[in-house]
Amino acid sequence: MSRAKRQRALSIRTRRAFRDPRAGRNTRERSVTKNIFVIGLNDYNLEKLKRLRGADDIAFHGLIDPAALYDTEVFDVPAMLAEAEEKLSAFDGSIDAIVGYMDFPVSTMLPILGEKFGVRHTSLEALLKCEHKYWSRVLQHEVIPENVPAFAAFDPFDEGALSKIGEAGLTFPFFVKPIKSSGSRLGFRIDSPEDFDYATRRLREDIGTISEPFNFLLDQANLPADIRAIDGQYCLAEQVIGGRQCTLEGYVKDGKVVPYAIVDSVRYPQVLSFFYYMYPSKLPDKVQAKMRELAVKVMEHVGFDQSGFNIEFFWDEVQDQIWLLEVNTRIAQAHCDLFEKVDGVSHQQIMVDVALGNEPDMPWGEGKYKVAGHFFYRVFFIDATITQVPSEEETADALRKVPDTIIRPQVHVGMRLSDLPEQDSYSYALCYVLIGASKQSTLLWNYEQVMKSLTFEFSDLAD
């Protein structure tokens, strides 16, 4: 055997000798290529990931079929964790990061998988301090009380819940939502006892799809007794807050909190449903600076680390009051294309770099556009059946009018609107339209031109 062949054989035996049998991976030597596992990875996001800086040296692997996360509201978290662990354990290579850009249950599974397979992650307890909405409010109130609305936890199955909310100091109007929810699901504005009766009926019917998987995750954590008593069946009532809404994107690496961008969230007039997200924000610089300061205080206080996050805020311009709405423990997936159009790459760059332990290599202002929008084309029916969606010809016509636009219908012919997962309580988002422009007015004009080409039709409208 030649010297070169002997060296190759020795190298192979050495790598095999130091393979970790629990994780099925090599723990002594790593190849140049990094292996990143992405929970719920789909083709749309994979293409964006491949365009990140340094992506040529990364292999992205999917964990859990995206349909099991996108197309349903029923999550068997123990089965998902078992499936992910089996695939990771069988992988014959280095496991360098496990990431996700989706809300529950993806975000809450990451600490469990991260701990088991030895990759960078925040603790499950720190994550739950953000995602358990009551616990999060308690902790926020400890450090930024003037920016947190009045709140109270309640059990929607308790016939005396409304009275107890009143005893806690809340009066009409107030807002209610589950202790754990995503996408404004099962959130209601309450202006009267009748509104509260309607909301609790809906919550009693549907909260089990949230509470059961969330309670499983709560059982994996070390929780204070008073927080453990407020489990996934509970809801949060809180003072109505308002103003100009936005989302601050940030990350924490090795204990350092870094807010890096703010995206405006614009609602349809007179309703709670989102019309579009726009980047960069048009809020005054001093307001953005204050939001960054608040974000640092909150994320340091909860001990969140090694991950991206985003925080939703309101700025009441009349009162010059900033309110913190909620904390999310991942980058906002709906903002990925905004950053790509304006800055040159998706802010998945932040997610990947932090997960690998690198300083984020995020460009700023290197994209094709000065401003970008993620629009939600919605209908405000109670329910209906889809009878027509945009044809290939209509889509092609829209793209000729506004090049570089991404059109992502969320429905198909024959589908009932009520079958759409992760919708708010007042509307259905039929289509996402992602557009870039030189300024906000052009952005809105471009959206109108696109929608003039697209046809959605319905039958069996519910009264």
Side-chain angles (χ1 to χ4, degrees):
M1 181 184 295
S2 70
R3 180 179 180 183
K5 287 183 178 179
R6 285 197 301 271
Q7 287 178 333
R8 279 199 299 273
L10 177 61
S11 177
I12 291 171
R13 288 197 300 271
T14 301
R15 288 198 298 269
R16 287 175 177 167
F18 288 101
R19 185 173 294 154
D20 183 343
R22 294 173 302 167
R25 59 191 175 106
N26 181 328
T27 59
R28 175 62 62 86
E29 295 185 7
R30 300 286 178 94
S31 62
V32 173
T33 298
K34 300 292 186 180
N35 294 297
I36 297 183
F37 288 80
V38 186
I39 300 181
L41 179 63
N42 59 14
D43 291 340
Y44 172 79
N45 282 286
L46 178 58
E47 289 306 309
K48 292 195 177 299
L49 288 166
K50 288 179 176 178
R51 292 195 288 269
L52 300 182
R53 294 179 171 188
D56 290 344
D57 297 324
I58 298 173
F60 294 101
H61 309 270
L63 271 182
I64 305 176
D65 183 350
L69 299 163
Y70 286 98
D71 300 339
T72 182
E73 292 179 347
V74 179
F75 304 116
D76 187 344
V77 174
M80 289 181 182
L81 284 169
E83 176 188 339
E85 290 175 11
E86 181 179 6
K87 182 171 183 177
L88 290 164
S89 296
F91 183 69
D92 189 17
S94 64
I95 299 173
D96 299 291
I98 305 170
V99 300
Y101 41 72
M102 296 176 63
D103 203 338
F104 182 77
V106 172
S107 56
T108 39
M109 289 192 285
L110 289 172
I112 296 173
L113 294 172
E115 180 70 21
K116 187 174 183 67
F117 291 94
V119 297
R120 295 170 71 92
H121 65 284
T122 196
S123 71
L124 180 59
E125 288 75 19
L127 181 137
L128 290 172
K129 288 176 181 179
C130 302
E131 294 210 2
H132 186 297
K133 294 188 185 300
Y134 176 72
W135 196 7
S136 186
R137 282 301 195 205
V138 170
L139 294 169
Q140 293 163 26
H141 192 266
E142 289 175 358
V143 288
I144 56 166
E146 66 278 7
N147 304 103
V148 178
F151 63 94
F154 71 95
D155 182 349
F157 293 88
D158 179 359
E159 295 295 339
L162 185 57
S163 296
K164 293 175 182 176
I165 290 171
E167 291 169 3
L170 285 168
T171 58
F172 300 125
F174 57 87
F175 199 80
V176 300
K177 53 189 173 183
I179 284 296
K180 177 60 202 154
S181 65
S182 61
S184 301
R185 181 183 171 205
L186 294 179
F188 302 90
R189 179 186 167 102
I190 308 299
D191 290 286
S192 67
E194 292 74 21
D195 287 345
F196 189 76
D197 289 343
Y198 171 76
T200 51
R201 282 198 303 272
R202 289 282 307 278
L203 288 162
R204 290 170 182 175
E205 291 170 1
D206 297 332
I207 201 169
T209 59
I210 301 172
S211 63
E212 291 179 13
F214 191 54
N215 282 342
F216 169 81
L217 292 161
L218 292 178
D219 288 341
Q220 314 306 308
N222 295 316
L223 305 177
D226 58 333
I227 299 301
R228 184 167 293 282
I230 309 296
D231 67 10
Q233 178 178 283
Y234 274 72
C235 295
L236 192 70
E238 55 186 32
Q239 168 193 344
V240 169
I241 54 179
R244 293 169 62 178
Q245 188 170 353
C246 68
T247 301
L248 178 147
E249 294 277 3
Y251 67 89
V252 190
K253 180 178 179 292
D254 299 329
K256 182 180 180 181
V257 183
V258 182
Y260 60 85
I262 295 179
V263 176
D264 288 338
S265 305
V266 182
R267 296 181 184 268
Y268 279 83
Q270 309 303 316
V271 295
L272 295 174
S273 302
F274 289 115
F275 178 21
Y276 64 99
Y277 303 141
M278 184 178 68
Y279 175 67
S281 172
K282 299 296 184 184
L283 290 173
D285 290 344
K286 69 171 185 176
V287 174
Q288 295 193 43
K290 182 62 177 179
M291 290 176 176
R292 292 169 188 265
E293 176 189 325
L294 296 173
V296 171
K297 286 184 178 180
V298 168
M299 301 313 285
E300 286 182 343
H301 186 59
V302 301
F304 190 78
D305 204 359
Q306 314 301 356
S307 176
F309 68 89
N310 68 76
I311 301 180
E312 298 173 56
F313 287 101
F314 281 109
W315 176 49
D316 183 335
E317 188 171 2
V318 175
Q319 303 295 326
D320 193 23
Q321 169 69 41
I322 294 174
W323 296 107
L324 191 155
L325 178 58
E326 65 181 21
V327 180
N328 300 301
T329 57
R330 35 86 190 161
I331 65 167
Q333 181 183 184
H335 296 167
C336 289
D337 190 69
L338 304 180
F339 285 94
E340 190 168 45
K341 282 183 164 57
V342 174
D343 293 327
V345 298
S346 162
H347 67 324
Q348 290 167 323
Q349 185 79 55
I350 301 284
M351 175 186 75
V352 166
D353 285 339
V354 172
L356 291 175
N358 301 327
E359 290 303 316
D361 186 22
M362 186 75 191
W364 306 110
E366 296 182 13
K368 294 175 62 176
Y369 301 96
K370 296 295 185 183
V371 63
H374 179 129
F375 290 83
F376 300 83
Y377 174 68
R378 297 180 181 271
V379 293
F380 294 83
F381 307 145
I382 294 176
D383 205 356
T385 299
I386 306 293
T387 58
Q388 183 175 339
V389 297
S391 65
E392 291 183 4
E393 292 77 12
E394 287 178 333
T395 301
D397 181 58
L399 296 178
R400 280 192 295 271
K401 290 179 179 177
V402 188
D404 286 341
T405 294
I406 297 174
I407 299 170
R408 301 184 65 199
Q410 303 298 299
V411 295
H412 55 78
V413 172
M415 181 180 186
R416 290 291 284 176
L417 292 176
S418 54
D419 291 332
L420 270 170
E422 294 297 318
Q423 301 298 300
D424 66 34
S425 300
Y426 302 96
S427 68
Y428 297 97
L430 304 188
C431 186
Y432 304 153
V433 181
L434 288 64
I435 303 175
S438 59
K439 56 185 178 180
Q440 183 178 10
S441 59
T442 305
L443 190 72
L444 293 166
W445 187 88
N446 285 346
Y447 172 72
E448 291 177 1
Q449 303 316 301
V450 168
M451 294 314 303
K452 286 178 180 177
S453 296
L454 306 181
T455 303
F456 292 89
E457 293 185 355
F458 315 89
S459 65
D460 305 321
L461 272 68
D463 295 330

